[in-house]
Amino acid sequence: KALEAIQKELKDLTRYPDGNGFNLKNALAKKLSVDLGQLTLGNGSSDILEFIVRVFVNPGDDVVFSQHAFAIYGLVSQMVGANCIQVPAKNWGHDLSAMADAITEKTKVVFVTNPNNPTGTWSTKNELTDFLKRVPENVLVLLDEAYFEYVDQADYPNGVELLSEYKNLVVTRTFSKAYGLASLRVGYGISSIEMADLLNRVRPPFNVDSLALAAATATLADEAYVAKSIKVNNDGMALLEQGFNELNLTFIPSVGNFICFAVPVDGMLVFNELLKKGVIIRPVANYEMPGYL
């Protein structure tokens, strides 16, 4: 359906895209049961992260995030001269209590990834709400739910359902993972109307192109495709876990579309040897996990 939508859109390539992304935002608003004014579209959800930093963070302000969390949090924060406060992880995941402790008068933004990239760990609803209750109202919490669609855990929270209670919360999601549109770069933020208004002031007017808007709108309605995408991922995850167990390799239980496993030698050595066999995986030494792939 995405390919069909792109094909129809090709005849209008001479025209600029809809700068407001009305059709996609309208479809998202209906699916998520939110107001159209609560949405901000991004060139990938990482775009929204940058908007937040540009709006709220000044040189010398603090930004808090977890060890082993998505590297872009630190990159976009350093771009504006912020102090990056990295809180040590707990069992490869977020220690939300310690992250709340790390908040000071200088803190402007706290990044929370659920599930986390690249470890695949997740925070429960109780853990997240306990954390949000401790965060001052003047500190923004960015809840990155890029892998939301893959999670099937009874205690996993839906960030959108928390927005009405926590006005300082912004939730980001993407079409790059379960929806399979990674090369088109479409993400979005959901927040209060007031927050979205601020983010949309720094958003470039044509940051999501016409083909991407059309494909995302079509794929959002294709529930059978997304269900198949998730099943293929779950089957692959089970196969990998079985293989790790047979090889006596330790792995971090994951609810994303990736899984980290430990190797008994230098991770880069295994990575390079697998490359020679045409197998591409991902080293995570830059996430302070040199023994994992």
Side-chain angles (χ1 to χ4, degrees), residues 42-81:
N43 186 238
S45 57
S46 56
D47 226 11
I48 312 297
L49 314 181
E50 187 171 343
F51 299 161
I52 283 167
V53 169
R54 286 170 61 191
V55 169
F56 292 100
V57 183
N58 293 308
D61 289 339
D62 287 354
V63 171
V64 175
F65 50 84
S66 175
Q67 180 188 22
H68 311 314
F70 191 25
I72 202 165
Y73 305 147
L75 294 176
V76 295
S77 300
Q78 289 169 4
M79 283 168 53
V80 299

Short mmCIF file of all heavy atoms in Angstrom, two decimals, residues 42-81:
data_model
loop_
_atom_site.label_atom_id
_atom_site.label_comp_id
_atom_site.label_asym_id
_atom_site.label_seq_id
_atom_site.Cartn_x
_atom_site.Cartn_y
_atom_site.Cartn_z
N GLY A 42 8.25 14.84 11.90
CA GLY A 42 9.68 14.97 11.79
C GLY A 42 10.26 14.13 10.67
O GLY A 42 9.65 13.15 10.23
N ASN A 43 11.44 14.51 10.23
CA ASN A 43 12.20 13.72 9.28
C ASN A 43 12.87 12.61 10.08
O ASN A 43 14.05 12.66 10.41
CB ASN A 43 13.24 14.62 8.58
CG ASN A 43 13.99 13.91 7.47
OD1 ASN A 43 15.20 13.81 7.49
ND2 ASN A 43 13.26 13.40 6.50
N GLY A 44 12.06 11.61 10.46
CA GLY A 44 12.45 10.63 11.46
C GLY A 44 12.15 11.20 12.84
O GLY A 44 12.08 12.41 13.02
N SER A 45 11.97 10.33 13.82
CA SER A 45 11.68 10.84 15.17
C SER A 45 12.87 11.58 15.77
O SER A 45 12.71 12.41 16.67
CB SER A 45 11.24 9.69 16.10
OG SER A 45 12.21 8.68 16.17
N SER A 46 14.07 11.33 15.24
CA SER A 46 15.25 12.05 15.72
C SER A 46 15.13 13.54 15.45
O SER A 46 15.72 14.37 16.16
CB SER A 46 16.53 11.50 15.09
OG SER A 46 16.44 11.54 13.67
N ASP A 47 14.36 13.92 14.43
CA ASP A 47 14.09 15.32 14.15
C ASP A 47 13.42 15.99 15.35
O ASP A 47 13.75 17.11 15.73
CB ASP A 47 13.16 15.43 12.93
CG ASP A 47 13.61 16.47 11.92
OD1 ASP A 47 14.75 16.98 12.04
OD2 ASP A 47 12.84 16.78 11.00
N ILE A 48 12.47 15.29 15.95
CA ILE A 48 11.73 15.83 17.10
C ILE A 48 12.66 16.05 18.28
O ILE A 48 12.55 17.04 19.01
CB ILE A 48 10.57 14.90 17.50
CG1 ILE A 48 9.74 14.47 16.28
CG2 ILE A 48 9.70 15.56 18.56
CD1 ILE A 48 9.04 15.60 15.57
N LEU A 49 13.60 15.13 18.47
CA LEU A 49 14.57 15.28 19.56
C LEU A 49 15.36 16.58 19.40
O LEU A 49 15.59 17.29 20.38
CB LEU A 49 15.55 14.09 19.59
CG LEU A 49 15.00 12.68 19.46
CD1 LEU A 49 16.13 11.66 19.54
CD2 LEU A 49 13.96 12.39 20.51
N GLU A 50 15.74 16.87 18.17
CA GLU A 50 16.50 18.09 17.92
C GLU A 50 15.64 19.34 18.13
O GLU A 50 16.11 20.34 18.68
CB GLU A 50 17.07 18.07 16.50
CG GLU A 50 18.01 19.24 16.23
CD GLU A 50 18.74 19.09 14.90
OE1 GLU A 50 18.78 17.99 14.35
OE2 GLU A 50 19.28 20.12 14.43
N PHE A 51 14.37 19.28 17.71
CA PHE A 51 13.48 20.42 17.94
C PHE A 51 13.38 20.74 19.43
O PHE A 51 13.40 21.90 19.84
CB PHE A 51 12.07 20.14 17.41
CG PHE A 51 11.98 19.87 15.94
CD1 PHE A 51 10.87 19.23 15.40
CD2 PHE A 51 12.99 20.25 15.07
CE1 PHE A 51 10.76 18.98 14.05
CE2 PHE A 51 12.91 20.00 13.70
CZ PHE A 51 11.78 19.36 13.20
N ILE A 52 13.25 19.69 20.25
CA ILE A 52 13.10 19.86 21.69
C ILE A 52 14.32 20.54 22.29
O ILE A 52 14.21 21.48 23.09
CB ILE A 52 12.84 18.50 22.35
CG1 ILE A 52 11.38 18.10 22.11
CG2 ILE A 52 13.14 18.51 23.84
CD1 ILE A 52 11.07 16.68 22.43
N VAL A 53 15.49 20.09 21.88
CA VAL A 53 16.73 20.69 22.40
C VAL A 53 16.84 22.14 21.95
O VAL A 53 17.21 23.02 22.73
CB VAL A 53 17.95 19.85 21.96
CG1 VAL A 53 19.25 20.58 22.25
CG2 VAL A 53 17.93 18.50 22.67
N ARG A 54 16.50 22.41 20.69
CA ARG A 54 16.59 23.78 20.18
C ARG A 54 15.63 24.73 20.90
O ARG A 54 15.93 25.90 21.10
CB ARG A 54 16.32 23.79 18.68
CG ARG A 54 17.47 23.23 17.85
CD ARG A 54 17.08 23.04 16.40
NE ARG A 54 16.69 24.29 15.77
CZ ARG A 54 16.11 24.37 14.57
NH1 ARG A 54 15.85 23.25 13.90
NH2 ARG A 54 15.79 25.53 14.05
N VAL A 55 14.46 24.22 21.28
CA VAL A 55 13.46 25.06 21.94
C VAL A 55 13.81 25.30 23.41
O VAL A 55 13.70 26.42 23.91
CB VAL A 55 12.06 24.43 21.83
CG1 VAL A 55 11.06 25.17 22.74
CG2 VAL A 55 11.56 24.48 20.39
N PHE A 56 14.26 24.27 24.10
CA PHE A 56 14.32 24.33 25.56
C PHE A 56 15.72 24.45 26.17
O PHE A 56 15.85 24.83 27.33
CB PHE A 56 13.64 23.09 26.16
CG PHE A 56 12.17 23.06 25.94
CD1 PHE A 56 11.62 22.30 24.93
CD2 PHE A 56 11.31 23.81 26.73
CE1 PHE A 56 10.25 22.27 24.70
CE2 PHE A 56 9.95 23.80 26.52
CZ PHE A 56 9.41 23.03 25.50
N VAL A 57 16.76 24.09 25.43
CA VAL A 57 18.08 23.97 26.05
C VAL A 57 19.01 25.08 25.59
O VAL A 57 19.17 25.32 24.39
CB VAL A 57 18.70 22.58 25.74
CG1 VAL A 57 20.04 22.44 26.45
CG2 VAL A 57 17.76 21.46 26.16
N ASN A 58 19.65 25.74 26.55
CA ASN A 58 20.63 26.79 26.29
C ASN A 58 22.02 26.31 26.70
O ASN A 58 22.14 25.34 27.46
CB ASN A 58 20.28 28.06 27.07
CG ASN A 58 19.00 28.69 26.58
OD1 ASN A 58 18.83 28.94 25.40
ND2 ASN A 58 18.07 28.95 27.50
N PRO A 59 23.08 26.96 26.22
CA PRO A 59 24.42 26.58 26.66
C PRO A 59 24.54 26.60 28.18
O PRO A 59 24.07 27.53 28.84
CB PRO A 59 25.31 27.67 26.02
CG PRO A 59 24.55 28.11 24.81
CD PRO A 59 23.10 28.06 25.21
N GLY A 60 25.12 25.52 28.72
CA GLY A 60 25.30 25.42 30.17
C GLY A 60 24.17 24.73 30.90
O GLY A 60 24.31 24.38 32.08
N ASP A 61 23.03 24.50 30.22
CA ASP A 61 21.94 23.74 30.84
C ASP A 61 22.30 22.26 30.90
O ASP A 61 23.15 21.78 30.13
CB ASP A 61 20.65 23.90 30.03
CG ASP A 61 20.04 25.29 30.15
OD1 ASP A 61 20.36 25.99 31.14
OD2 ASP A 61 19.25 25.67 29.27
N ASP A 62 21.63 21.53 31.77
CA ASP A 62 21.85 20.08 31.91
C ASP A 62 20.80 19.30 31.13
O ASP A 62 19.61 19.66 31.12
CB ASP A 62 21.78 19.65 33.37
CG ASP A 62 23.00 20.08 34.17
OD1 ASP A 62 23.96 20.60 33.56
OD2 ASP A 62 22.99 19.88 35.41
N VAL A 63 21.25 18.22 30.50
CA VAL A 63 20.37 17.25 29.86
C VAL A 63 20.72 15.88 30.43
O VAL A 63 21.89 15.52 30.50
CB VAL A 63 20.55 17.26 28.33
CG1 VAL A 63 19.79 16.12 27.69
CG2 VAL A 63 20.09 18.59 27.75
N VAL A 64 19.71 15.13 30.86
CA VAL A 64 19.93 13.85 31.54
C VAL A 64 19.48 12.70 30.65
O VAL A 64 18.40 12.75 30.04
CB VAL A 64 19.16 13.81 32.88
CG1 VAL A 64 19.29 12.44 33.54
CG2 VAL A 64 19.65 14.91 33.82
N PHE A 65 20.31 11.65 30.57
CA PHE A 65 19.92 10.43 29.87
C PHE A 65 20.68 9.26 30.47
O PHE A 65 21.60 9.44 31.26
CB PHE A 65 20.15 10.53 28.36
CG PHE A 65 21.51 11.02 27.96
CD1 PHE A 65 22.58 10.15 27.87
CD2 PHE A 65 21.72 12.36 27.65
CE1 PHE A 65 23.85 10.59 27.50
CE2 PHE A 65 22.96 12.82 27.27
CZ PHE A 65 24.03 11.93 27.19
N SER A 66 20.31 8.06 30.07
CA SER A 66 20.89 6.85 30.66
C SER A 66 22.14 6.38 29.90
O SER A 66 22.27 6.61 28.70
CB SER A 66 19.85 5.72 30.65
OG SER A 66 20.41 4.49 31.10
N GLN A 67 23.01 5.71 30.64
CA GLN A 67 24.10 4.96 30.00
C GLN A 67 23.48 3.91 29.06
O GLN A 67 22.39 3.39 29.33
CB GLN A 67 24.94 4.28 31.08
CG GLN A 67 26.11 3.46 30.56
CD GLN A 67 26.78 2.67 31.68
OE1 GLN A 67 26.16 2.41 32.72
NE2 GLN A 67 28.02 2.31 31.49
N HIS A 68 24.15 3.60 27.98
CA HIS A 68 23.69 2.63 26.96
C HIS A 68 22.42 3.09 26.24
O HIS A 68 21.71 2.27 25.67
CB HIS A 68 23.43 1.24 27.56
CG HIS A 68 24.50 0.70 28.43
ND1 HIS A 68 25.84 0.72 28.09
CD2 HIS A 68 24.45 0.11 29.66
CE1 HIS A 68 26.55 0.17 29.07
NE2 HIS A 68 25.73 -0.19 30.02
N ALA A 69 22.11 4.39 26.26
CA ALA A 69 20.91 4.88 25.55
C ALA A 69 21.32 5.46 24.20
O ALA A 69 22.50 5.69 23.92
CB ALA A 69 20.17 5.91 26.40
N PHE A 70 20.33 5.74 23.37
CA PHE A 70 20.50 6.21 22.00
C PHE A 70 21.51 7.36 21.95
O PHE A 70 21.34 8.38 22.61
CB PHE A 70 19.14 6.65 21.48
CG PHE A 70 19.06 6.91 20.00
CD1 PHE A 70 19.93 6.32 19.10
CD2 PHE A 70 18.08 7.75 19.51
CE1 PHE A 70 19.84 6.56 17.74
CE2 PHE A 70 17.96 8.01 18.15
CZ PHE A 70 18.83 7.41 17.27
N ALA A 71 22.54 7.21 21.13
CA ALA A 71 23.66 8.16 21.11
C ALA A 71 23.26 9.56 20.69
O ALA A 71 23.92 10.54 21.06
CB ALA A 71 24.75 7.64 20.17
N ILE A 72 22.17 9.69 19.95
CA ILE A 72 21.83 11.01 19.42
C ILE A 72 21.42 11.99 20.51
O ILE A 72 21.50 13.21 20.34
CB ILE A 72 20.72 10.89 18.34
CG1 ILE A 72 20.74 12.12 17.42
CG2 ILE A 72 19.35 10.71 18.97
CD1 ILE A 72 19.97 11.95 16.14
N TYR A 73 21.00 11.49 21.68
CA TYR A 73 20.63 12.41 22.76
C TYR A 73 21.81 13.30 23.13
O TYR A 73 21.67 14.51 23.28
CB TYR A 73 20.16 11.64 24.00
CG TYR A 73 19.04 10.67 23.77
CD1 TYR A 73 18.95 9.49 24.50
CD2 TYR A 73 18.05 10.93 22.83
CE1 TYR A 73 17.92 8.59 24.30
CE2 TYR A 73 17.02 10.02 22.61
CZ TYR A 73 16.96 8.86 23.35
OH TYR A 73 15.94 7.96 23.13
N GLY A 74 22.97 12.67 23.28
CA GLY A 74 24.16 13.43 23.62
C GLY A 74 24.62 14.32 22.48
O GLY A 74 25.04 15.45 22.70
N LEU A 75 24.48 13.83 21.24
CA LEU A 75 24.94 14.60 20.08
C LEU A 75 24.15 15.89 19.91
O LEU A 75 24.72 16.97 19.74
CB LEU A 75 24.84 13.75 18.81
CG LEU A 75 25.76 12.53 18.74
CD1 LEU A 75 25.47 11.71 17.48
CD2 LEU A 75 27.22 12.97 18.75
N VAL A 76 22.81 15.79 19.96
CA VAL A 76 22.00 17.01 19.77
C VAL A 76 22.16 17.97 20.94
O VAL A 76 22.08 19.19 20.78
CB VAL A 76 20.51 16.67 19.52
CG1 VAL A 76 20.33 15.90 18.23
CG2 VAL A 76 19.90 15.92 20.69
N SER A 77 22.41 17.43 22.13
CA SER A 77 22.59 18.28 23.31
C SER A 77 23.92 19.02 23.25
O SER A 77 24.01 20.22 23.57
CB SER A 77 22.52 17.44 24.59
OG SER A 77 21.26 16.79 24.70
N GLN A 78 24.96 18.33 22.80
CA GLN A 78 26.27 18.97 22.67
C GLN A 78 26.26 20.05 21.61
O GLN A 78 27.00 21.03 21.70
CB GLN A 78 27.32 17.91 22.35
CG GLN A 78 27.64 16.99 23.51
CD GLN A 78 28.47 15.78 23.10
OE1 GLN A 78 28.89 15.66 21.95
NE2 GLN A 78 28.70 14.88 24.04
N MET A 79 25.41 19.92 20.61
CA MET A 79 25.32 20.91 19.54
C MET A 79 24.94 22.29 20.06
O MET A 79 25.31 23.31 19.49
CB MET A 79 24.31 20.46 18.48
CG MET A 79 24.82 19.40 17.53
SD MET A 79 23.50 18.66 16.53
CE MET A 79 22.73 20.08 15.81
N VAL A 80 24.17 22.33 21.16
CA VAL A 80 23.75 23.61 21.72
C VAL A 80 24.54 23.99 22.97
O VAL A 80 24.20 24.93 23.66
CB VAL A 80 22.23 23.63 22.03
CG1 VAL A 80 21.42 23.41 20.76
CG2 VAL A 80 21.87 22.57 23.07
N GLY A 81 25.60 23.22 23.27
CA GLY A 81 26.46 23.55 24.40
C GLY A 81 25.93 23.12 25.75
O GLY A 81 26.27 23.71 26.78
#
